Amino acid sequence: MSNTYDAIVVGLGAMGSASAYQLAKRGLSVLGLDQYAPPHSNGSTHGASRIMRLAIGEGEHYTPLSKRSYELFREIEQKTDTNLLNVTGMLTISAIDKATIQTEGEFFDKTVAAAKKYGIRHDVLSANEIRTYYPQFAVSDTERGYFEYEAGYLKPEDCIRAQLQLAVDNGCSINTNERVNNITSTARGTLVTTSANTYCADQIVLSAGPWLPELLEPQYESLFQPFRLVQYWFDIQEVYNEFTPEKFPIFFWQLPGIDEWTYGFPALNGPKGGFSLGVPDRSPTTTPDSIARSISSQEIEAVYREYVSRCFPKASKHCVKTSTCLYTATPDCEFVIDRLPHAPGIIICSPCSGHGFKHSAAIGESVAELVATGSSTIDLSAFSLSRLIANH
Ligand SMILES: Cc1cc2nc3c(=O)[nH]c(=O)nc-3n(C[C@H](O)[C@H](O)[C@H](O)COP(=O)(O)OP(=O)(O)OC[C@H]3O[C@@H](n4cnc5c(N)ncnc54)[C@H](O)[C@@H]3O)c2cc1C
């Protein structure tokens, strides 16, 4: 069999599995490569749940991606007869006086503005209304809420499985446990050298997540910094009925203080499974090889003290499970979906700054359009590489 393809996708996590499927769906000859066998728990896409919200407070340019992803995930569910997206509603809490929020102070207002602009069903709630509807959340009088009705959670591992299955069904070749060591642009295409072989393609989708810096030229490495993020599941057995998905929405809570926030999910695995939350990790940047994957009892105690007891006083201090993950942040915490200037056959499609999963199905579609036709339906200009190089 020939080793030449229209496109090679390097890395088959959230972005790569979506890209491989969408490329194959367009009739291109596609090879997908991964150093592991996705889904796996070494990168950015594991831990059983990812928030899906539609009105995006990170910036107006994201809502077209989230809305399209929502449609695509529903389509993928139908095509593969799997459950990927579950609607629970989402509660975003923030201080009324945004000057007390040190990070992303505009997030709440931008979320409400996006909901209004794109007709996304929502309510803005006072602290008293939050206490009435969701007494599990210990809000103060100086806080307010945004409730989005159609938000919910995605099952990240199942999303990858489903899209890889659809990629294969559409003729994509998938090689797992094959590491890409080198990518070189030549006059006859781009050569991809792996632990097993050398392949050639007109275009490469580089969706290597936290491993991306290793595959880039030195001048780009510092633009993509991997960080550690831990998900904690705390015991709620005694108050399980108050933490079920029917009673307890997904949440994002901007707390007063420097870089103080928490996000999380209801109890998704029965009374003994706990409810989960993530909090900022104070560790410096890391790498997939050097990240501390174990979680100390001191870390757990600190998360209970600083977040769980303060925000959800009915939860127990007993932590039933943890999961360590990596996310890759750019200097402005936005995405990069763009061609490399010195090698336009290579498209970077990975670093999603900790908020990329909800957009991944649409990112895969947009990247496939870029490869197939040279442009995408959704405007990707906000995710250019040049904005970071100019500011670097
Ligand atoms: C704890 C946590 C919680 C999050 N919560 C949310 C959320 O609620 N909502 C949301 O929208 N986003 C969330 N995110 C962000 C989201 O999960 C990421 O944006 C997304 O998963 C990134 O996927 P990726 O495809 O870029 O990386 P990955 O899924 O890590 O995929 C990269 C793949 O490339 C492969 N690879 C790398 N190098 C090579 C090589 N040299 N050769 C072959 N294969 C290679 C890897 O093996 C891997 O499979 C969260 C992130 C974390 C860490």
Tab-separated table of all heavy atoms in Angstrom, residues 289-311:
chain	number	residue	atom	x	y	z
A	289	ASP	N	6.098	14.489	30.038
A	289	ASP	CA	7.018	13.548	30.700
A	289	ASP	C	7.233	13.878	32.165
A	289	ASP	O	7.390	12.991	32.997
A	289	ASP	CB	8.389	13.554	30.000
A	289	ASP	CG	8.309	12.898	28.642
A	289	ASP	OD1	7.386	12.071	28.456
A	289	ASP	OD2	9.127	13.230	27.774
A	290	SER	N	7.249	15.182	32.499
A	290	SER	CA	7.651	15.538	33.866
A	290	SER	C	6.472	15.871	34.788
A	290	SER	O	6.667	16.099	35.975
A	290	SER	CB	8.607	16.733	33.817
A	290	SER	OG	7.924	17.846	33.270
A	291	ILE	N	5.258	15.908	34.288
A	291	ILE	CA	4.107	16.295	35.121
A	291	ILE	C	3.969	15.386	36.343
A	291	ILE	O	4.178	14.165	36.243
A	291	ILE	CB	2.800	16.271	34.290
A	291	ILE	CG1	1.616	16.697	35.159
A	291	ILE	CG2	2.541	14.924	33.656
A	291	ILE	CD1	0.307	16.836	34.415
A	292	ALA	N	3.628	15.998	37.490
A	292	ALA	CA	3.353	15.203	38.697
A	292	ALA	C	1.947	14.632	38.550
A	292	ALA	O	0.961	15.364	38.646
A	292	ALA	CB	3.441	16.098	39.924
A	293	ARG	N	1.844	13.342	38.285
A	293	ARG	CA	0.513	12.740	38.047
A	293	ARG	C	-0.153	12.334	39.361
A	293	ARG	O	-1.365	12.208	39.436
A	293	ARG	CB	0.625	11.541	37.104
A	293	ARG	CG	1.074	11.989	35.712
A	293	ARG	CD	0.691	11.047	34.603
A	293	ARG	NE	1.211	11.539	33.329
A	293	ARG	CZ	0.498	12.138	32.386
A	293	ARG	NH1	-0.795	12.298	32.534
A	293	ARG	NH2	1.060	12.564	31.267
A	294	SER	N	0.637	12.127	40.400
A	294	SER	CA	0.006	11.763	41.674
A	294	SER	C	-0.424	13.045	42.409
A	294	SER	O	0.126	14.122	42.170
A	294	SER	CB	0.959	10.946	42.528
A	294	SER	OG	2.083	11.722	42.798
A	295	ILE	N	-1.395	12.883	43.285
A	295	ILE	CA	-1.947	14.040	44.013
A	295	ILE	C	-1.733	13.794	45.506
A	295	ILE	O	-2.107	12.735	46.025
A	295	ILE	CB	-3.439	14.214	43.688
A	295	ILE	CG1	-3.583	14.650	42.227
A	295	ILE	CG2	-4.107	15.265	44.557
A	295	ILE	CD1	-4.166	13.648	41.349
A	296	SER	N	-1.138	14.759	46.177
A	296	SER	CA	-0.801	14.561	47.590
A	296	SER	C	-2.031	14.810	48.473
A	296	SER	O	-2.979	15.506	48.073
A	296	SER	CB	0.316	15.523	47.994
A	296	SER	OG	-0.177	16.838	47.954
A	297	SER	N	-1.989	14.267	49.705
A	297	SER	CA	-3.098	14.508	50.634
A	297	SER	C	-3.180	15.996	50.989
A	297	SER	O	-4.264	16.539	51.228
A	297	SER	CB	-2.944	13.653	51.888
A	297	SER	OG	-1.693	13.899	52.444
A	298	GLN	N	-2.030	16.693	50.964
A	298	GLN	CA	-2.050	18.144	51.249
A	298	GLN	C	-2.824	18.897	50.158
A	298	GLN	O	-3.566	19.837	50.451
A	298	GLN	CB	-0.611	18.719	51.307
A	298	GLN	CG	0.151	18.318	52.536
A	298	GLN	CD	0.955	17.034	52.323
A	298	GLN	OE1	0.582	16.171	51.536
A	298	GLN	NE2	2.048	16.899	53.042
A	299	GLU	N	-2.636	18.467	48.917
A	299	GLU	CA	-3.375	19.131	47.825
A	299	GLU	C	-4.874	18.935	48.017
A	299	GLU	O	-5.669	19.857	47.849
A	299	GLU	CB	-2.983	18.523	46.475
A	299	GLU	CG	-1.694	19.042	45.891
A	299	GLU	CD	-1.420	18.418	44.521
A	299	GLU	OE1	-0.847	17.313	44.459
A	299	GLU	OE2	-1.794	19.032	43.516
A	300	ILE	N	-5.253	17.702	48.357
A	300	ILE	CA	-6.686	17.403	48.524
A	300	ILE	C	-7.259	18.225	49.682
A	300	ILE	O	-8.328	18.826	49.564
A	300	ILE	CB	-6.887	15.891	48.752
A	300	ILE	CG1	-6.524	15.142	47.457
A	300	ILE	CG2	-8.318	15.582	49.190
A	300	ILE	CD1	-6.463	13.635	47.587
A	301	GLU	N	-6.520	18.270	50.789
A	301	GLU	CA	-6.998	19.044	51.950
A	301	GLU	C	-7.158	20.518	51.595
A	301	GLU	O	-8.128	21.172	51.986
A	301	GLU	CB	-6.006	18.905	53.113
A	301	GLU	CG	-6.178	17.605	53.876
A	301	GLU	CD	-4.927	17.257	54.697
A	301	GLU	OE1	-4.161	18.180	55.058
A	301	GLU	OE2	-4.726	16.061	54.931
A	302	ALA	N	-6.194	21.038	50.818
A	302	ALA	CA	-6.263	22.464	50.443
A	302	ALA	C	-7.472	22.728	49.548
A	302	ALA	O	-8.157	23.742	49.710
A	302	ALA	CB	-4.976	22.882	49.744
A	303	VAL	N	-7.764	21.822	48.628
A	303	VAL	CA	-8.916	22.016	47.736
A	303	VAL	C	-10.208	21.955	48.547
A	303	VAL	O	-11.125	22.752	48.349
A	303	VAL	CB	-8.910	20.960	46.597
A	303	VAL	CG1	-10.222	20.974	45.833
A	303	VAL	CG2	-7.750	21.228	45.661
A	304	TYR	N	-10.258	21.032	49.504
A	304	TYR	CA	-11.459	20.957	50.351
A	304	TYR	C	-11.629	22.274	51.138
A	304	TYR	O	-12.696	22.879	51.137
A	304	TYR	CB	-11.397	19.766	51.323
A	304	TYR	CG	-12.584	19.772	52.234
A	304	TYR	CD1	-13.838	19.376	51.757
A	304	TYR	CD2	-12.496	20.260	53.541
A	304	TYR	CE1	-14.971	19.457	52.557
A	304	TYR	CE2	-13.620	20.342	54.343
A	304	TYR	CZ	-14.851	19.933	53.845
A	304	TYR	OH	-15.968	20.036	54.623
A	305	ARG	N	-10.533	22.706	51.749
A	305	ARG	CA	-10.596	23.898	52.611
A	305	ARG	C	-10.942	25.159	51.812
A	305	ARG	O	-11.823	25.921	52.185
A	305	ARG	CB	-9.217	24.059	53.296
A	305	ARG	CG	-9.167	25.028	54.440
A	305	ARG	CD	-7.796	25.036	55.099
A	305	ARG	NE	-6.697	25.299	54.189
A	305	ARG	CZ	-5.753	24.420	53.839
A	305	ARG	NH1	-5.755	23.203	54.344
A	305	ARG	NH2	-4.781	24.752	52.992
A	306	GLU	N	-10.250	25.344	50.671
A	306	GLU	CA	-10.372	26.617	49.936
A	306	GLU	C	-11.580	26.670	49.003
A	306	GLU	O	-12.054	27.749	48.683
A	306	GLU	CB	-9.093	26.866	49.125
A	306	GLU	CG	-7.891	27.164	49.994
A	306	GLU	CD	-6.586	27.153	49.204
A	306	GLU	OE1	-6.605	27.464	48.003
A	306	GLU	OE2	-5.556	26.791	49.800
A	307	TYR	N	-12.052	25.500	48.555
A	307	TYR	CA	-13.139	25.511	47.561
A	307	TYR	C	-14.372	24.733	48.019
A	307	TYR	O	-15.476	25.267	48.038
A	307	TYR	CB	-12.637	24.949	46.217
A	307	TYR	CG	-11.576	25.807	45.592
A	307	TYR	CD1	-10.223	25.558	45.813
A	307	TYR	CD2	-11.923	26.909	44.806
A	307	TYR	CE1	-9.239	26.366	45.257
A	307	TYR	CE2	-10.946	27.726	44.243
A	307	TYR	CZ	-9.606	27.447	44.479
A	307	TYR	OH	-8.648	28.255	43.936
A	308	VAL	N	-14.199	23.451	48.360
A	308	VAL	CA	-15.376	22.615	48.618
A	308	VAL	C	-16.133	23.113	49.841
A	308	VAL	O	-17.346	23.360	49.781
A	308	VAL	CB	-14.972	21.130	48.778
A	308	VAL	CG1	-16.209	20.266	49.023
A	308	VAL	CG2	-14.233	20.646	47.543
A	309	SER	N	-15.433	23.315	50.958
A	309	SER	CA	-16.144	23.712	52.186
A	309	SER	C	-16.741	25.109	52.024
A	309	SER	O	-17.785	25.420	52.589
A	309	SER	CB	-15.200	23.662	53.395
A	309	SER	OG	-14.213	24.642	53.253
A	310	ARG	N	-16.094	25.949	51.232
A	310	ARG	CA	-16.552	27.322	51.043
A	310	ARG	C	-17.756	27.384	50.093
A	310	ARG	O	-18.703	28.129	50.328
A	310	ARG	CB	-15.368	28.105	50.458
A	310	ARG	CG	-15.615	29.511	50.026
A	310	ARG	CD	-14.263	30.088	49.575
A	310	ARG	NE	-14.382	31.347	48.899
A	310	ARG	CZ	-13.366	31.952	48.276
A	310	ARG	NH1	-12.164	31.390	48.264
A	310	ARG	NH2	-13.535	33.112	47.682
A	311	CYS	N	-17.717	26.578	49.022
A	311	CYS	CA	-18.759	26.691	47.984
A	311	CYS	C	-19.868	25.654	48.160
A	311	CYS	O	-21.023	25.936	47.852
A	311	CYS	CB	-18.136	26.504	46.602
A	311	CYS	SG	-16.859	27.704	46.225
